[in-house]
Amino acid sequence: MNNNDTIFAVSSGHGKSGVAVIRISGNDLKNFAEKLIGCTPLVPRHTYFKNLCDETGEIIDQCVIIYFAAPHSFTGTDVIEIHSHGAPAVINKIFDFLKTKNMRLATPGEFSRRAFYAGKMDLTDVDGLAALLDAETDIQRKSALRSMMGGDGETYNAWRNDMIEISAYAAAMLDYSPDDLPANIYERVIEKTKKLYSEISNALSRYKTARAIRGGVNIAIIGETNVGKSSLFNAILGTSRAIVSDIPGTTRDVVSASVDMGGYLVNLSDTAGLRETSDTVEKIGIDRTHDEIKNADLIIHVITPNDTPNNVSSGELLVINKCDTTNTQNIKNAIYVSAKNNIGVDELVKTITSKIREITDGSESGLMINARTYELLKTAQSELENAIEKSDGDYDILSEHVRYAADAIGKILGTISTADILDATFSQLCLGK
Ligand SMILES: Nc1nc2c(ncn2[C@@H]2O[C@H](COP(=O)(O)OP(=O)(O)O)[C@@H](O)[C@H]2O)c(=O)[nH]1
Ligand SMILES: [Mg+2]
């Protein structure tokens, strides 16, 4: 990959569409843009409606063309955007034409990589962009957008600057004899380090919820056989995904589906009913149910009006199904529904949504932590802990550990980067980004 190459790709979606946006990035595209548009001098960021012609003068398509002069572009290089009709034949013809101009197809994420090198984005912005392109629900959109627009980068930069300051300050203390230093200076530096430690620990404790927003909240429907778990699963989804029958032990495997509940992406699972069984296959299903329970962020525990809620753990949402078979609704904190007759299901979905809101605790406004940033934050946290626990008045040790912590944050931002980190981050992105 050469940063001096002129690259191009379709930046809009793939497949047939009304309009396709083809983006070109290169070091000096002014002359090419002038020829393409047939106008000198060009006004950058101005839209030109033109017949786009190939080198023989044949019209390829009617297009809107925009020229962005460096550094005021997505990549920081010169950029041309061609808005053509979205037909594959048009796009292919434009690509063929561009290839004759010594340009090549971009690799996935290559435009963003250029933006990163030009200082237009840090790695947390790139993570945010990747998450935004994947966003399926409104909450995911918000959380990703915040990260992409630099909200996360700001927090990380502030932490890193504080760490560099503490480390440099501690190192400077070494040059003075203790008698020349103000009283309590060591304690004051430690206090600052502790504050950073607690802020990072706080962010880390939200990882599970941040992950739930990004990957979806795991919700499992559990209960004994025949209480109506599969019926409820179908009623929530509004489709007949799981098999419903009055034969106990019908559901033997976990059936999962993704559903948008109040803007949250939910991975809803219907499980095998919990009971003693000698059936080998059903036993495997019940083991899987137990795994599902472990993984769940929220459990919906279903019983019927004939059952007593003995085995319901705290934190589980108690649902009493088959409410059509009883006139009494006297169990507190339970939600009465009839999956079969679609009674109370909307209420249940509302309750689930507010539970999710409680679990995620407004995490969409916090740092968007992914697997990469999680590991590096853990490193920063443990280095700060070392600084607090192990320095014992020794400025050298204090300075060193806090500097390691600053390095970890630098890696999150990409200020300190290795080829591996960059490759992993940019490869999340698709072609044309
Ligand atoms: N009366 C009544 N029967 C229901 C209701 N929901 C489910 N059932 C019946 O209960 C039986 C077991 O349902 P199913 O969803 O397979 O239960 P699961 O074993 O817990 O998954 C089926 O015969 C359903 O038709 C309900 O709300 N009212
Ligand atoms: Mg079932």
Side-chain angles (χ1 to χ4, degrees):
M1 198 174 347
N2 189 331
N3 250 340
N4 292 319
D5 287 353
T6 299
I7 54 171
F8 63 86
V10 178
S11 290
S12 51
H14 292 262
K16 200 166 145 183
S17 62
V19 176
V21 178
I22 294 163
R23 197 184 251 160
I24 308 169
S25 150
N27 283 337
D28 185 9
L29 296 177
K30 190 162 174 277
N31 283 341
F32 177 69
E34 280 175 355
K35 273 198 206 117
L36 206 61
I37 295 168
C39 166
T40 343
L42 270 187
V43 185
R45 300 184 190 214
H46 188 86
T47 51
Y48 294 93
F49 181 59
K50 288 284 157 192
N51 290 335
L52 180 71
C53 299
D54 67 11
E55 61 282 3
T56 67
E58 186 195 337
I59 299 174
I60 302 175
D61 191 14
Q62 287 192 313
C63 301
V64 168
I65 306 174
I66 309 166
Y67 166 67
F68 299 85
H72 305 293
S73 70
F74 174 68
T75 52
T77 61
D78 275 1
V79 165
I80 297 170
E81 274 186 14
I82 301 174
H83 299 217
S84 70
H85 291 97
V90 172
I91 295 168
N92 288 339
K93 188 88 178 157
I94 295 176
F95 276 16
D96 286 346
F97 168 60
L98 296 178
K99 279 179 200 158
T100 67
K101 300 291 168 193
N102 201 21
M103 303 179 183
R104 67 164 170 85
L105 198 62
T107 56
E110 196 171 0
F111 287 95
S112 304
R113 197 184 271 265
R114 286 192 175 179
F116 169 75
Y117 284 127
K120 295 245 164 198
M121 300 175 102
D122 68 35
L123 288 190
T124 65
D125 302 338
V126 178
D127 282 340
L129 172 63
L132 183 65
L133 296 177
D134 281 340
E136 289 180 43
T137 70
D138 200 43
I139 307 284
Q140 289 180 321
R141 176 190 64 76
K142 268 191 203 155
S143 156
L145 194 66
R146 183 183 174 281
S147 177
M148 190 195 77
M149 291 177 67
D152 289 6
E154 239 170 66
T155 306
Y156 287 123
N157 266 315
W159 281 342
R160 182 159 180 267
N161 289 339
D162 283 354
M163 288 171 191
I164 291 171
E165 203 179 294
I166 292 171
S167 175
Y169 197 72
M173 292 300 114
L174 288 168
D175 297 338
Y176 296 91
S177 95
D179 302 336
D180 296 338
L181 292 171
N184 296 334
I185 187 77
Y186 176 76
E187 285 72 19
R188 269 154 50 198
V189 176
I190 285 288
E191 253 345 281
K192 275 193 145 192
T193 312
K194 279 186 177 160
K195 185 169 167 277
L196 283 170
Y197 175 81
S198 83
E199 283 175 14
I200 289 177
S201 303
N202 245 329
L204 277 170
S205 70
R206 285 165 164 254
Y207 175 57
K208 200 167 170 230
T209 55
R211 194 213 59 195
I213 286 177
R214 220 183 151 182
V217 185
N218 298 324
I219 299 185
I221 304 178
I222 66 156
E224 289 181 13
T225 50
N226 254 357
V227 293
K229 298 178 297 301
S230 298
S231 305
L232 186 63
F233 176 80
N234 289 338
I236 292 174
L237 294 181
T239 58
S240 295
R241 272 290 308 278
I243 301 170
V244 171
S245 115
D246 55 3
I247 304 164
T250 304
T251 308
R252 291 154 152 237
D253 203 354
V254 176
V255 182
S256 300
S258 294
V259 54
D260 181 337
M261 283 195 192
Y264 294 96
L265 181 69
V266 169
N267 309 317
L268 188 66
S269 303
D270 177 26
T271 62
L274 297 168
R275 64 165 181 173
E276 291 297 324
T277 178
S278 53
D279 184 307
T280 339
V281 179
E282 195 181 348
K283 262 191 186 150
I284 298 171
I286 292 174
D287 284 346
R288 290 197 182 161
T289 301
H290 285 295
D291 288 345
E292 210 59 36
I293 292 174
K294 257 186 250 154
N295 262 332
D297 299 301
L298 177 67
I299 287 169
I300 301 176
H301 198 136
V302 185
I303 62 171
T304 70
N306 295 329
D307 308 318
T308 38
N310 289 337
N311 300 325
V312 181
S313 317
S314 69
E316 292 180 352
L317 194 61
L318 177 60
V319 171
I320 299 172
N321 186 34
K322 311 198 186 184
C323 71
D324 52 311
T325 61
T326 178
N327 288 324
T328 45
Q329 299 199 350
N330 49 12
I331 298 179
K332 266 203 272 167
N333 297 328
I335 302 161
Y336 283 79
V337 303
S338 167
K340 194 172 170 182
N341 302 298
N342 205 6
I343 302 169
V345 177
D346 287 349
E347 264 323 294
L348 173 62
V349 169
K350 269 190 205 143
T351 310
I352 295 172
T353 308
S354 64
K355 278 265 173 196
I356 298 173
R357 206 168 290 128
E358 252 171 57
I359 297 169
T360 53
D361 185 25
S363 283
E364 64 265 28
S365 57
L367 289 179
M368 196 195 72
I369 302 174
N370 57 26
R372 178 185 78 87
T373 46
Y374 179 75
E375 285 309 319
L376 290 164
L377 267 180
K378 285 289 263 191
T379 307
Q381 183 195 35
S382 83
E383 289 301 345
L384 291 178
E385 190 177 351
N386 285 340
I388 297 160
E389 302 290 325
K390 294 195 179 154
S391 61
D392 195 23
D394 185 328
Y395 287 113
D396 205 8
I397 294 175
L398 176 71
S399 167
E400 187 163 288
H401 284 299
V402 178
R403 187 160 46 77
Y404 289 151
D407 285 354
I409 303 292
K411 284 180 187 158
I412 291 179
L413 288 161
T415 319
I416 299 172
S417 61
T418 66
D420 292 354
I421 294 179
L422 295 184
D423 285 347
T425 306
F426 290 105
S427 63
Q428 313 169 77
L429 290 163
C430 48
L431 267 171
K433 264 294 167 192

